[in-house]
Amino acid sequence: GQTGEEVRYWGYCFPENFAAAVAKPKEGFPGRLFLSEKERAVRREEQLKRFRQSFSIYDRPVAEDLLNETRTVRGKVRHQVELFHGGMTCYVMTEAPLAIGTDLDGDGANTFVEKSEKTDPLKKDTDGDGLDDGTEIFLINTQPKVRDTDGDGVLDGLEDYNRNGISETGETNPLERDSDRDGLCDGVCAYGRLFKELRGEDVNLNGVVDEGETDPRKADSAGDGIFDEQEYFNCILEQEGRDCKYSSFPIQ
C-alpha cells in the first residue's frame, strides 16, 4: 500500500522450499527479513545517537563509544526483501494498520488502494492515459480515472512523456493547464465569456511541437521577447482573425 515511509513495520519471509532451507546448515533464521523505509530511518537515527561520528586527536573515542558501535554491528537486522509476489509466506509486525493487498495487474497499487480509488484492479492503466494507476496515485498525483487531469486537452501520459511520475524539464505539467504561464494552455482550451473561442499551443493534442504550433514548455517560443499569448493577439490584429483561432500562426 506504499505506506512504508510513514509506518514502522518489519517482517520475515519464509523460503519457498522451507523444508530444504531448514535442513541446510545456516546461521540465523532460514529466509529473509524486511524493514519499512520508516523503520530503517529510525534505526539509522538510533545508531547515530549511540555512536558519535566525529573524532580528533583531542576528542578521541572512549570505551563506551566503541562498545556502542560494536553493539550496532552484532546482530544487525538487514533489509533483504524489497518486492513481494504471490506465493510468498511472510510474517509482519507493524505499529499501525497497513493497506495490505495483492497487486494483480502490476501497476504499483494493491487491491486495497485500487478499491479506495475505485480503479480497476485488473487493469494497469484504468483511464488509458498512458500512466499506470500506481504512478498516478503515488508519484505524480494525477487522477487515475481521468485521462486529462488538468483539462488542457493533452493526455496525462503525453505530458509526463517518459512515464516516470515526475514533472521534469522538457515536459509539460499534467496538473497545470498552462505549464509555461504564457497565457495559452498547453493543449486547446475554451476561452471567452460564453466559452466560444478555442485556443492553445499543442493544436493537435499529440504532445509534440509541430510546425505552426507554439511550444507549451516555453513562454516565448519565438525568442523575440513577446509571450506566446501576445503573439496570438498580434496575429489576430494583423490577419483580422484568419488562421489564428488556435494559435496556429507560424513561428518566424
Side-chain angles (χ1 to χ4, degrees):
Q2 301 286 342
T3 53
E5 293 185 1
E6 295 83 27
V7 180
R8 293 182 64 181
Y9 66 81
W10 66 273
Y12 171 82
C13 290
F14 295 98
E16 293 185 9
N17 192 338
F18 184 74
V22 171
K24 185 179 180 180
K26 181 183 178 182
E27 184 177 340
F29 292 109
R32 296 181 296 167
L33 297 157
F34 59 87
L35 306 168
S36 71
E37 293 88 344
K38 180 67 176 295
E39 180 68 22
R40 278 176 271 168
V42 171
R43 287 171 182 256
R44 283 194 297 269
E45 186 177 346
E46 291 177 349
Q47 182 179 359
L48 291 175
K49 288 179 181 179
R50 285 197 296 265
F51 186 65
R52 293 184 292 132
Q53 298 297 302
S54 60
F55 299 100
S56 69
I57 59 173
Y58 303 107
D59 185 19
R60 293 177 292 179
V62 297
E64 184 179 357
D65 293 323
L66 299 176
L67 181 60
N68 284 334
E69 175 61 13
T70 304
R71 285 173 180 166
T72 61
V73 174
R74 290 176 182 171
K76 184 177 181 181
V77 177
R78 293 179 298 154
H79 176 67
Q80 298 170 305
V81 181
E82 186 66 30
L83 297 175
F84 301 91
H85 58 82
M88 296 177 70
T89 302
C90 304
Y91 168 86
V92 183
M93 178 173 283
T94 173
E95 67 171 351
L98 293 178
I100 294 177
T102 54
D103 183 10
L104 300 174
D105 53 10
D107 61 1
N110 66 23
T111 50
F112 182 94
V113 173
E114 300 233 36
K115 183 178 179 180
S116 300
E117 297 287 335
K118 295 181 173 54
T119 51
D120 190 337
L122 298 179
K123 288 180 65 176
K124 296 183 69 171
D125 181 9
T126 298
D127 56 10
D129 63 358
L131 295 177
D132 290 352
D133 295 340
T135 300
E136 298 208 62
I137 296 168
F138 297 118
L139 296 179
I140 205 164
N141 294 321
T142 48
Q143 298 182 49
K145 292 174 42 180
V146 178
R147 304 182 77 192
D148 176 19
T149 300
D150 57 9
D152 61 3
V154 185
L155 296 182
D156 295 339
L158 290 177
E159 301 216 52
D160 180 17
Y161 207 74
N162 58 9
R163 273 72 161 176
N164 68 347
I166 304 172
S167 183
E168 301 171 301
T169 302
E171 297 177 334
T172 52
N173 189 340
L175 296 174
E176 291 189 19
R177 291 175 53 152
D178 181 10
S179 296
D180 56 9
R181 312 263 177 102
D182 62 356
L184 292 173
C185 77
D186 298 336
V188 176
C189 301
Y191 291 86
R193 191 170 184 179
L194 299 177
F195 300 98
K196 289 185 177 181
E197 183 183 6
L198 296 174
R199 56 180 194 261
E201 307 206 62
D202 185 4
V203 179
N204 56 11
L205 308 177
N206 67 349
V208 178
V209 181
D210 299 304
E211 184 177 358
E213 294 180 338
T214 51
D215 193 336
R217 301 163 301 177
K218 298 178 182 178
D220 176 16
S221 298
D224 57 3
I226 303 174
F227 275 15
D228 292 338
E229 184 187 43
Q230 186 58 50
E231 295 268 22
Y232 166 76
F233 287 117
N234 291 347
C235 179
I236 293 288
L237 294 173
E238 294 170 5
Q239 301 187 31
E240 297 180 353
R242 294 191 300 273
D243 300 322
C244 298
K245 187 175 182 181
Y246 292 98
S247 182
S248 57
F249 57 92
I251 302 172
Q252 301 297 329

